Amino acid sequence: MNNPQNSEKDDARSRLGTPTQTLNPGDEAARGTPGTGEDICPQCHGSGRIDGSPCQNCGGSGKIVKAIGGA
């Protein structure tokens, strides 16, 4: 039986979104998380590669997500 209350909850969840992205070891949070920003990967220095292979820390992007600000 179709329950309209459950349908509304499912719609709300899809609007909020669930993280579908994979975090890399160097990421402190998912992209778009409030209080975070993009930074250059400290291991590959933004190149995305180490010794000819994709950097494991940033997943080959050369960027990581880092917490910013704070008290």
Side-chain angles (χ1 to χ4, degrees):
M1 179 153 100
N2 188 5
N3 185 341
Q5 288 179 338
N6 286 343
S7 177
E8 288 174 16
K9 289 179 186 175
D10 290 342
D11 288 345
R13 260 188 233 121
S14 67
R15 281 194 301 273
L16 291 173
T18 55
T20 57
Q21 58 185 309
T22 303
L23 292 179
N24 292 308
D27 291 334
E28 295 178 0
R31 293 194 190 290
T33 301
T36 65
E38 222 172 52
D39 198 4
I40 300 295
C41 176
Q43 291 189 0
C44 69
H45 307 285
S47 71
R49 301 192 72 72
I50 295 178
D51 296 329
S53 298
C55 175
Q56 296 297 308
N57 192 53
C58 65
S61 70
K63 301 172 188 170
I64 58 167
V65 178
K66 223 176 155 172
I68 57 173

